[in-house]
């Protein structure tokens, strides 16, 4: 699941959606912040909690191996 944060829904996305997606068993949750730009990646653990697994800002690449191998820079995820 990839969530693009907006100033008006950032709190909702980071708190309520975060916990609801964990309860639903969504294995991975990305939060993309176009304001910074940045990306945070969380993986669901065996206890149903999201753990941070990757983070990057600007042109710094973030690499994720599963569920598919991908490397991307946050600036490539947002339009200017």
């Amino acid at each position: 699941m990839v969530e693009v944060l907006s100033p008006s829904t950032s709190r909702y996305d980071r708190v309520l959606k975060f916990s609801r997606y964990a309860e639903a068993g969504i294995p991975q949750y990305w939060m993309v912040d176009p304001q910074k730009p940045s990306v945070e990646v969380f993986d669901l653990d065996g206890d149903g909690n999201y753990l941070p697994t990757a983070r990057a800002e600007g042109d710094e690449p973030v690499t994720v191996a599963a569920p598919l191998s991908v490397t991307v820079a946050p600036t490539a995820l947002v339009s200017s």
Side-chain angles (χ1 to χ4, degrees):
M1 173 68 64
V2 176
E3 191 73 48
V4 178
L5 304 175
S6 70
S8 63
T9 63
S10 180
R11 187 171 189 274
Y12 177 75
D13 296 335
R14 289 184 176 279
V15 179
L16 185 61
K17 283 187 178 180
F18 192 82
S19 65
R20 292 223 172 131
Y21 291 151
E23 289 171 8
I26 305 298
Q28 193 171 75
Y29 186 46
W30 289 43
M31 281 191 256
V32 177
D33 188 342
Q35 303 291 69
K36 287 186 182 177
S38 63
V39 63
E40 296 173 84
V41 181
F42 300 88
D43 286 326
L44 198 62
D45 71 7
D47 294 326
N49 300 303
Y50 280 123
L51 300 177
T53 55
R55 186 178 195 315
E57 292 186 19
D59 292 326
E60 176 186 5
V62 63
T63 300
V64 176
L68 62 122
S69 181
V70 64
T71 298
V72 66
T75 52
L77 299 174
V78 297
S79 61
S80 46

